Amino acid sequence: MALPLVVGNWKMHGTPAEAFSLARGIRTGLKRVQGVEVVLAPPFTSLSAVYKALRGRSIGLAGQNVFWQEQGAFTGEISPKMLLESGCGFVIVGHSERRRILGESDQFIGKKTVAALAAGLRPILCVGETLQERRQGSTRKIIGRQLRVALKGITKNAIGKIEIAYEPVWAIGTGRNATPDQISLAHQWIRELLRKLAGNEQAAKSRILYGGSVRPENAGDLARAPEVNGLLVGGASLKAESFLSIVNQFISI
Ligand code: PGA
């Protein structure tokens, strides 16, 4: 298994100047990135500023979204190659905010995953159930469907290049995180499904991250939970101090 992965998803926060200074703060605090892989996902408009701020440090860059076409009349969209040339190695696909607010379907997310991978980006594919779906006992079914559809066009040998983020919708930005037991179980289901789809060897390569109200106070317990290979951090990644304290939980494991 690769190193644990901690991703800071800045969502729609920060101008390029603000993003530069946040990235600088994180860079300064992470003198040596050891035992953990750290990736920042700023808004598109700040990718270049963050790239400059991180130069020379092994902190990766991710897009928060991508379109599946290489170029063309797709107003407002960004291609995989544009992200690559902006310094991204990763891209978040299928975030629940895009599913719910922008109406992205599983099929749509599948196309993005295929295109990102084909271009050489590592997709961070987000899946997760709503509170109602959890209460109905359909968590496993929902994340299973989201994964199967998104991974449909991916060859078995490429599945290990995809990182999965389990993000229960009810835990995102609510201050209410899933318990380590709930998380471990969902991660087990995801790993089992990956094995079914791609075999043990490929399935073992994908990192399964947890996301949803990760804070410095709960990051230690979440980082140590069985089957957790990293964290996708939203709100708490917007301050260098809190993000660094989350990253440090992995350095000290
Ligand atoms: P949050 O967001 O940490 O603010 O809950 C996580 C995410 O949406 O990736």
Side-chain angles (χ1 to χ4, degrees), residues 9 11 95 97 167 171-174 211-215 232-236:
N9 175 13
K11 308 193 179 182
H95 191 282
E97 284 148 17
E167 297 207 305
I172 297 177
T174 57
S213 297
V214 176
R215 299 278 175 270
L232 178 51
V233 187

Side-chain angles (χ1 to χ4, degrees), residues 10-227:
W10 295 356
K11 308 193 179 182
M12 199 177 75
H13 290 286
T15 63
E18 288 163 347
F20 183 88
S21 99
L22 175 56
R24 262 296 145 100
I26 292 170
R27 178 188 197 263
T28 311
L30 276 177
K31 290 248 152 35
R32 285 184 308 150
V33 194
Q34 258 185 347
V36 62
E37 191 172 357
V38 178
V39 170
L40 302 179
F44 291 141
T45 45
S46 294
L47 282 171
S48 131
V50 173
Y51 182 76
K52 280 191 203 121
L54 297 178
R55 196 167 284 164
R57 215 33 76 75
S58 51
I59 299 175
L61 205 54
Q64 293 181 15
N65 183 30
V66 68
F67 195 58
W68 60 78
Q69 298 281 1
E70 280 178 30
Q71 59 179 358
F74 305 106
T75 303
E77 294 301 321
I78 301 277
S79 75
K81 193 169 165 219
M82 291 171 189
L83 288 180
L84 273 177
E85 279 200 22
S86 304
C88 293
F90 294 81
V91 61
I92 299 172
V93 288
H95 191 282
S96 67
E97 284 148 17
R98 296 210 61 87
R99 291 178 190 262
R100 282 184 308 118
I101 306 168
L102 284 308
E104 291 192 7
S105 66
D106 290 324
Q107 284 76 9
F108 208 90
I109 292 157
K111 286 182 175 186
K112 292 175 181 221
T113 310
V114 170
L117 203 55
L121 289 164
R122 285 184 88 100
I124 302 167
L125 169 62
C126 304
V127 295
E129 80 289 359
T130 62
L131 191 55
Q132 197 191 3
E133 287 160 346
R134 172 161 286 270
R135 287 195 177 133
Q136 287 166 346
S138 37
T139 299
R140 187 173 193 171
K141 194 178 95 198
I142 295 296
I143 57 185
R145 188 206 69 219
Q146 291 171 336
L147 279 173
R148 278 179 197 280
V149 179
L151 299 177
K152 209 167 167 208
I154 313 281
T155 60
K156 283 188 182 182
N157 290 344
I159 284 197
K161 296 197 181 108
I162 298 178
E163 323 287 8
I164 312 287
Y166 170 57
E167 297 207 305
V169 178
W170 47 275
I172 297 177
T174 57
R176 178 176 172 199
N177 62 292
T179 64
D181 283 352
Q182 288 172 325
I183 298 167
S184 293
L185 186 60
H187 285 210
Q188 256 172 48
W189 291 336
I190 293 170
R191 186 78 66 197
E192 272 170 35
L193 183 60
L194 292 177
R195 280 198 203 106
K196 249 191 231 158
L197 294 175
N200 289 351
E201 198 188 317
Q202 283 301 314
K205 289 185 188 162
S206 294
R207 285 171 287 193
I208 308 177
L209 320 181
Y210 168 75
S213 297
V214 176
R215 299 278 175 270
E217 308 79 58
N218 59 22
D221 286 345
L222 299 173
R224 279 185 293 272
E227 312 292 339

